[in-house]
Amino acid sequence: MYTIFFYVVWCIDWRPSQHWMFQIANVLFFLSYSVPTSYYGILFMHSTLIAGFLILITWAWRIVCAPDLFTWNLCFLFINILQLIYLIYQRRPINFNPELEQIYRSMFKPFKITRIQFKKLVSEQFAQIVTLHIGEAYAMQNITKTDRLGLLMSGKANVLQDHQLLHPIGPCEFLDSPEFESRGSSEDKFKVSVIAATTCRYIFWQRSALEYLFVKETYLATVLATLIAKDITIKLYSMNNKIMTDKGSHLDIRLPSITPALASKECKPPIVKTLKKLAVISSHCPKSPIPAGKCIS
């Protein structure tokens, strides 16, 4: 019984080593599986595997004449070639027009948004680019619905309330971030007017399109929520600089103290209502359609 077990478990007559091509192929496999899992490491891994499978295919066809080994290694070769092509395709150069390039570099690149993600965000499937001439309106007070989000790419626009200037909007700033965040129902209207002061180009997204996109691109949703919150805060400070109390000082807009301050009689029109609205929006985290955003200080 012991003798039978010995012959089953242990090899008594070892075969001679395989051909040198077989050994070289396995050395390449060893090297490919030893690299780190970075982009260039994965690139090196698939390139080395392709070389290894090419040698194994030659070995199976010319040396051992085994059609099954030849077929399997040929399949593995094609899989790795396709993987390598896909990796190279992912790193292809993606160029935008100068306006979109400026937006990407100044707003999205610092958050590690890839060019592929940004291209998807500004694609025709989700976004539209529009030109406004001097005096044309992006939104009219109590008329335009708050069902979209606009980002100014070039030019200058003014935000007006009851024909009085609240603050300007420049490139790389949202045209309607407070309205986009404060929307309560589909029938909400703008409480201000946004008028082009110069020839402007802006890109805008319908709310429904963003909701559809952010179902899969959750990190992009978080980044956009952060950018909107930052934009609202900048507008809040900009408008606060125009308000003076009876004592000749500015309000302390550090929340939550601003809300009772705005309710006091020390503040004067015309932008108190709008500033109070911005303060309320800034006091809580962004709402839909951006699911993963958090408040930042």
Side-chain angles (χ1 to χ4, degrees):
M1 181 64 69
Y2 175 78
T3 304
I4 296 175
F5 176 80
F6 180 81
Y7 278 99
V8 170
V9 175
W10 301 102
C11 295
I12 302 302
D13 297 324
W14 288 88
R15 294 183 179 182
S17 298
Q18 294 292 339
H19 194 268
W20 61 268
M21 297 179 69
F22 178 82
Q23 309 303 331
I24 292 178
N26 281 279
V27 169
L28 293 175
F29 296 154
F30 176 82
L31 293 175
S32 67
Y33 296 136
S34 301
V35 297
T37 56
S38 62
Y39 171 78
Y40 292 103
I42 300 297
L43 201 67
F44 175 81
M45 181 189 73
H46 287 293
S47 301
T48 311
L49 286 174
I50 288 173
F53 285 121
L54 278 173
I55 294 175
L56 275 186
I57 288 171
T58 306
W59 170 76
W61 184 260
R62 298 294 301 273
I63 306 303
V64 297
C65 298
D68 54 343
L69 290 176
F70 174 83
T71 303
W72 279 113
N73 286 289
L74 186 64
C75 292
F76 298 149
L77 174 68
F78 282 133
I79 290 174
N80 281 276
I81 290 175
L82 292 176
Q83 291 281 0
L84 185 62
I85 293 174
Y86 178 71
L87 284 172
I88 296 174
Y89 174 77
Q90 281 188 313
R91 295 300 291 260
R92 72 194 186 281
I94 298 177
N95 299 316
F96 305 107
N97 65 51
E99 296 168 332
L100 289 176
E101 183 70 26
Q102 180 185 4
I103 290 174
Y104 173 73
R105 290 182 177 273
S106 61
M107 298 179 67
F108 291 88
K109 188 177 181 180
F111 289 95
K112 308 300 182 182
I113 294 294
T114 65
R115 287 182 173 269
I116 295 177
Q117 290 175 308
F118 184 70
K119 183 180 179 180
K120 184 182 296 186
L121 178 66
V122 300
S123 65
E124 294 182 355
Q125 180 181 359
F126 300 104
Q128 297 181 47
I129 297 178
V130 180
T131 300
L132 284 180
H133 299 286
I134 299 177
E136 291 185 338
Y138 169 79
M140 293 299 296
Q141 184 176 350
N142 299 324
I143 297 177
T144 307
K145 292 184 178 180
T146 59
D147 58 351
R148 59 181 175 172
L149 177 66
L151 179 62
L152 190 62
M153 298 193 300
S154 63
K156 178 183 177 182
N158 291 327
V159 178
L160 308 174
Q161 186 176 51
D162 299 328
H163 305 290
Q164 295 183 352
L165 177 65
L166 299 182
H167 62 85
I169 299 176
C172 298
E173 294 182 11
F174 289 101
L175 291 164
D176 50 358
S177 53
E179 289 76 16
F180 184 78
E181 273 304 314
S182 64
R183 182 192 186 209
S185 67
S186 58
E187 299 300 322
D188 282 355
K189 304 290 197 308
F190 274 77
K191 303 303 179 184
V192 296
S193 297
V194 183
I195 309 296
T198 63
T199 300
C200 300
R201 280 171 55 82
Y202 69 90
I203 183 171
F204 76 93
W205 301 266
Q206 293 292 340
R207 186 183 295 268
S208 57
L210 286 178
E211 290 174 346
Y212 177 78
L213 174 62
F214 291 157
V215 168
K216 294 183 178 180
E217 298 290 343
T218 55
Y219 179 67
L220 186 60
T222 303
V223 170
L224 194 60
T226 303
L227 291 172
I228 290 174
K230 177 183 177 182
D231 188 79
I232 292 173
T233 304
I234 292 174
K235 287 180 170 63
L236 182 63
Y237 274 91
S238 174
M239 294 174 63
N240 179 70
N241 289 333
K242 296 185 176 183
I243 295 182
M244 300 289 290
T245 65
D246 292 337
K247 298 179 180 179
S249 61
H250 293 291
L251 290 176
D252 181 4
I253 66 171
R254 291 173 295 181
L255 301 175
S257 61
I258 185 174
T259 303
L262 288 170
S264 68
K265 296 181 179 180
E266 292 183 343
C267 298
K268 296 181 179 180
I271 61 175
V272 173
K273 291 182 179 179
T274 304
L275 184 57
K276 184 175 180 180
K277 176 184 177 182
L278 288 172
V280 173
I281 296 172
S282 301
S283 64
H284 55 76
C285 294
K287 298 183 288 187
S288 62
I290 303 167
K294 294 184 179 180
C295 290
I296 59 172
S297 56

